[in-house]
């Protein structure tokens, strides 16, 4: 029929190769019985004369949908049909155009195909859209097929980061320093340790970006006192905007942690509602000192212990 279709993707890896097939099958409402491919690694791992080693994952895909594979011989352009003309025209479509995003690019690209497929072809004297209706396409199975790529044996850093595709994804601290398996989908990255999925992130297409799940960092907070103070600060800041404003108004990170800890101690011995009410009053006054809060509670100002006189007076008997 000479019907043409295509889509741009952010990568050329296997999961996007499969995603392109799935989108095309859905658009056409079926698929061809035999597919021709150049010798890309997603289809052909290696070939020696007439012996071809196919990618086992793609063989599974072709078996699932029931089509056969024809791998074109190297340097045999005649076996590929007239696809080079279509590639040339697709490149011409890009010239002199601006695109806001990948979505915008594909919307314009599909509109260009819609126009092209309605033009009478010089060989068939009919439009490709008209002849597509006469194609006897295979019906795709109703069961979904996942467009994914498996990356085995990825070593997680001791700080609980797994590197994939030039980016870093957080995992629970318990998996730090261990080997995991990464399953990459077009939009999502899953991280598996053994038979358990330990993390899932939205996929990033930047470089050297750190994609973090805050819950993964929380599990580190039990390991050192500094993390415990940070955990207390996180709990208080998330519990009420007034507490968050009061803590973040401190002049340094160390003071933020110290004030959060002192607030935590006060909340354990006094009404939480009263503490928050007084914090709101101090915020309005622009006073962000813990001593001001202690004054409102009529608490004595803590004094530094005498460096000479021992707290344990029994030591005086020595």
């Amino acid at each position: 029929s000479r019907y043409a279709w295509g889509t741009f993707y952010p990568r050329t890896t296997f999961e996007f190769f499969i995603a392109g097939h799935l989108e095309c099958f859905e658009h056409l409402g079926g698929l061809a019985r035999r597919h021709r491919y150049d010798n890309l690694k997603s289809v052909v791992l290696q070939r020696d004369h007439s012996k071809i080693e196919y990618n086992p994952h793609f063989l599974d895909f072709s078996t699932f949908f029931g089509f056969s594979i024809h791998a074109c011989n190297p340097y045999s352009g005649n076996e590929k049909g007239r696809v080079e003309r279509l590639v040339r025209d697709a490149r011409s479509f890009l010239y002199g155009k601006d695109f806001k995003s990948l979505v915008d690019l594909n919307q314009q690209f599909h509109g260009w195909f819609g126009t092209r497929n309605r033009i009478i072809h010089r060989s068939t004297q009919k439009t490709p859209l008209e002849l597509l209706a006469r194609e006897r396409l295979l019906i795709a199975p109703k069961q979904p097929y996942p467009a994914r790529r498996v990356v085995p044996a990825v070593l997680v850093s001791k700080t609980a980061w797994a590197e994939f595709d030039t980016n870093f994804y957080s995992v629970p601290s318990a998996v730090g320093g261990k080997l995991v398996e990464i399953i990459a989908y077009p939009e999502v990255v899953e991280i598996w340790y053994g038979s358990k999925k330990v993390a899932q992130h939205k996929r990033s297409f930047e470089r050297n970006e750190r994609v973090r799940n805050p819950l993964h960092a929380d599990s580190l907070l039990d390991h050192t006192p500094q993390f415990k103070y940070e955990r207390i600060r996180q709990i208080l800041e998330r519990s009420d905007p007034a507490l968050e404003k009061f803590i973040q108004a401190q002049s340094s990170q160390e003071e933020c942690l110290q004030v959060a800890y002192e607030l935590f101690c006060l909340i354990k011995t006094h009404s939480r509602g009263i503490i928050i009410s007084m914090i709101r009053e101090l915020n309005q006054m622009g006073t962000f000192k813990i001593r001001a809060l202690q004054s409102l509670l009529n608490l004595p100002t803590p004094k530094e212990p005498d460096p000479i006189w021992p707290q344990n007076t029994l030591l005086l008997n020595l």
Side-chain angles (χ1 to χ4, degrees):
S1 66
R2 273 78 168 181
Y3 190 89
W5 183 251
T7 299
F8 287 95
Y9 291 98
R11 293 287 187 275
T12 59
T13 46
F14 184 78
E15 65 273 24
F16 292 102
F17 184 61
I18 296 299
H21 281 76
L22 298 176
E23 183 173 340
C24 185
F25 295 168
E26 181 179 2
H27 174 77
L28 296 175
L31 62 144
R33 288 168 168 76
R34 187 167 178 81
H35 293 190
R36 292 176 178 267
Y37 296 94
D38 213 340
N39 291 276
L40 70 166
K41 290 295 182 182
S42 294
V43 178
V44 178
L45 295 182
Q46 64 180 33
R47 63 186 302 160
D48 182 14
H49 301 292
S50 60
K51 185 178 180 181
I52 301 176
E53 181 184 354
Y54 289 104
N55 186 326
H57 299 294
F58 190 72
L59 277 179
D60 177 76
F61 176 74
S62 65
T63 302
F64 180 86
F65 283 94
F67 65 86
S68 61
I69 302 172
H70 176 87
C72 298
N73 290 302
Y75 312 109
S76 301
N78 60 302
E79 295 185 17
K80 292 187 290 184
R82 299 186 179 184
V83 296
E84 298 300 339
R85 173 64 181 269
L86 178 59
V87 172
R88 187 195 69 183
D89 291 348
R91 286 175 176 167
S92 299
F93 156 78
L94 297 170
Y95 294 154
K97 290 186 175 63
D98 292 325
F99 306 101
K100 299 178 182 178
S101 63
L102 187 65
V103 174
D104 180 41
L105 166 60
N106 280 320
Q107 286 177 347
Q108 294 191 41
F109 195 43
H110 294 161
W112 176 77
F113 273 126
T115 302
R116 179 189 177 91
N117 289 324
R118 287 178 172 83
I119 297 176
I120 295 177
H121 196 276
R122 61 183 178 182
S123 297
T124 63
Q125 295 302 308
K126 295 183 182 298
T127 67
L129 183 62
E130 180 183 354
L131 291 179
L132 177 65
R134 303 181 187 180
E135 296 271 19
R136 295 182 300 153
L137 300 176
L138 289 175
I139 303 300
K142 294 183 179 180
Q143 298 87 347
Y145 190 93
R148 65 182 185 182
R149 172 168 54 106
V150 178
V151 183
V154 176
L155 180 63
V156 177
S157 69
K158 293 183 179 179
T159 52
W161 292 97
E163 183 178 1
F164 169 71
D165 200 18
T166 73
N167 293 305
F168 298 87
Y169 298 87
S170 68
V171 297
S173 57
V175 190
K178 299 179 180 178
L179 291 174
V180 297
E181 181 180 77
I182 293 180
I183 301 179
Y185 297 87
E187 298 180 354
V188 174
V189 172
E190 294 181 352
I191 303 174
W192 290 72
Y193 177 63
S195 59
K196 182 180 179 182
K197 182 170 70 173
V198 295
Q200 177 174 312
H201 297 277
K202 183 178 179 180
R203 186 168 179 175
S204 171
F205 297 103
E206 303 298 328
R207 294 183 65 85
N208 299 318
E209 183 178 2
R210 292 188 178 269
V211 183
R212 184 195 307 270
N213 182 341
L215 296 178
H216 295 160
D218 287 352
S219 60
L220 289 170
L221 300 178
D222 297 328
H223 291 9
T224 66
Q226 181 72 10
F227 278 129
K228 290 182 180 179
Y229 282 117
E230 183 64 36
R231 177 58 173 162
I232 290 172
R233 174 185 173 180
Q234 289 180 6
I235 291 174
L236 292 182
E237 289 183 344
R238 294 173 184 174
S239 64
D240 192 274
L243 294 175
E244 180 181 13
K245 180 179 179 180
F246 188 84
I247 294 171
Q248 293 186 358
Q250 307 306 312
S251 57
S252 66
Q253 287 291 338
E254 291 74 15
E255 288 188 10
C256 288
L257 296 178
Q258 183 62 33
V259 166
Y261 177 73
E262 294 183 20
L263 285 174
F264 179 72
C265 294
L266 289 174
I267 289 176
K268 289 198 298 183
T269 57
H270 294 74
S271 168
R272 178 177 180 275
I274 292 177
I275 295 291
I276 293 177
S277 177
M278 291 182 174
I279 289 292
R280 288 174 182 157
E281 183 177 343
L282 291 174
N283 288 343
Q284 292 177 353
M285 296 168 57
T287 304
F288 305 103
K289 300 296 183 182
I290 198 72
R291 289 186 178 182
L293 176 62
Q294 293 169 344
S295 176
L296 290 176
L297 291 172
N298 294 321
L299 295 177
T301 302
K303 298 180 180 180
E304 293 293 332
D306 193 320
I308 303 300
W309 191 265
Q311 293 181 346
N312 185 358
T313 55
L314 293 176
L315 294 176
L316 296 176
N317 299 327
L318 293 178

